[in-house]
Every structure is written in C-alpha cells, then in structure tokens.
Amino acid sequence: MTDASYDDMFAALCTEVGFCLHDKGQKRVIAALPQGLDAATKVAFEAAGVDYMAALGDHRRAVRDCLKANLPKAG
C-alpha cells in the first residue's frame, strides 16, 4: 500500500494520461521523486510498460505536468 497522500496524484495520472499504476509502480515513482520530476516521469513510463524514449514529447510532458500539478502539498 502506498502513502495515501499520493492517492490524488496517482488517480490523476490514471484518468488524465492513462497510467494506472499498481502499488509497486507507485512506490517506485514516489522513491524517484526526490531525484526530480524528470526522474519520476521516466519511472512512471517504465512502471506503465511504455517506452519513454519512443514516446512523443507531448506525452512525456503530459505525464510530467500531471505529476507536478498533483504532488501532495507540504505541511
């Protein structure tokens, strides 16, 4: 089970860009977040089974923007 504070982010990732990640994939994305949004975006693609390098720039940007817009608020 992942941290509940990320539920909205993963729900948005599923509904907005179609990346409905399982718990293991969600944990990998959360673990990559301290390395930055680009790293977390690459992990999200990997966890979804989508080739990051072959994806269109608009798709990569949509995933990154979705993560950024839905990150849990600090405090």
Side-chain angles (χ1 to χ4, degrees), residues 3-27:
D3 183 336
S5 64
Y6 290 95
D7 286 352
D8 289 343
M9 181 179 79
F10 288 114
L13 197 61
C14 184
T15 59
E16 293 175 21
V17 294
F19 281 13
C20 303
L21 305 181
H22 49 76
D23 282 348
K24 186 176 178 181
Q26 291 179 10
K27 288 177 184 176

Side-chain angles (χ1 to χ4, degrees), residues 9-75:
M9 181 179 79
F10 288 114
L13 197 61
C14 184
T15 59
E16 293 175 21
V17 294
F19 281 13
C20 303
L21 305 181
H22 49 76
D23 282 348
K24 186 176 178 181
Q26 291 179 10
K27 288 177 184 176
R28 290 174 52 213
V29 171
I30 292 168
L33 282 169
Q35 299 167 27
L37 283 171
D38 290 336
T41 300
K42 288 178 185 175
V43 170
F45 270 83
E46 187 177 290
V50 179
D51 184 352
Y52 177 81
M53 296 306 293
L56 295 174
D58 287 346
H59 193 201
R60 292 193 303 251
R61 192 168 19 271
V63 172
R64 186 184 190 284
D65 289 350
C66 183
L67 289 174
K68 182 178 180 182
N70 293 285
L71 279 171
K73 304 298 181 230

